[in-house]
Amino acid sequence: MITLSDSATLVISTDPERLHEVRVWVEKTLAAWDADSYVGRLAVTELVGNVQRHVGDAQATVRIYPCDRGVCLEVADSSPVAPVVRDPGLLAESGRGLAVLREMTKALGWNPTATGKVVFVVLEAGRA
């Protein structure tokens, strides 16, 4: 059982070749906490991909911790620019990731930080 003082943090490379390692870490961490590891893997893939694609940072910080509505998974980067949930249209080949996360998680949001921002999702607990 996790407590409110528990958290797990990993500083990662945003290199797409290293994303598998991050997904494995997220899956193991969330499974140990009895949280939704499938959606967690999807979320970290989308959020880290967005850092690489839109921010250009070579690294990001992934943090997983219990929160009042479940388990939070957040990705921090150096950009202060807010993420945008888009409606790309039926024929677009990309641009749906955040909208999908908004529907598959309990919450999707972001907070500014002194060095950029964190984008987070709240995952269902009790669904490893």
Side-chain angles (χ1 to χ4, degrees):
M1 173 171 227
I2 58 174
T3 66
L4 290 179
S5 63
D6 291 331
S7 72
T9 304
L10 182 66
V11 177
I12 58 148
S13 165
T14 61
D15 180 348
E17 299 292 321
R18 307 292 304 271
L19 196 51
H20 173 73
E21 298 167 27
V22 178
R23 285 193 294 259
V24 168
W25 177 81
V26 166
E27 179 176 25
K28 288 180 179 180
T29 302
L30 292 174
W33 289 358
D34 196 28
D36 193 339
S37 60
Y38 175 79
V39 175
R41 289 191 318 269
L42 176 70
V44 80
T45 300
E46 174 64 18
L47 298 179
V48 170
N50 285 349
V51 172
Q52 194 272 334
R53 193 173 305 106
H54 301 293
V55 179
D57 285 353
Q59 71 177 28
T61 301
V62 179
R63 184 170 167 239
I64 302 171
Y65 57 95
C67 56
D68 61 346
R69 294 176 57 195
V71 176
C72 289
L73 182 151
E74 69 180 27
V75 175
D77 65 55
S78 67
S79 172
V81 178
V84 177
V85 178
R86 299 174 191 226
D87 182 10
L90 293 174
L91 299 178
E93 294 182 8
S94 63
R96 294 175 179 81
L98 292 177
V100 169
L101 289 183
R102 183 177 58 195
E103 295 301 316
M104 293 186 73
T105 62
K106 293 176 84 174
L108 167 69
W110 74 284
N111 291 310
T113 67
T115 58
K117 69 174 171 300
V118 295
V119 181
F120 66 88
V121 295
V122 179
L123 303 169
E124 189 78 37
R127 297 182 38 181

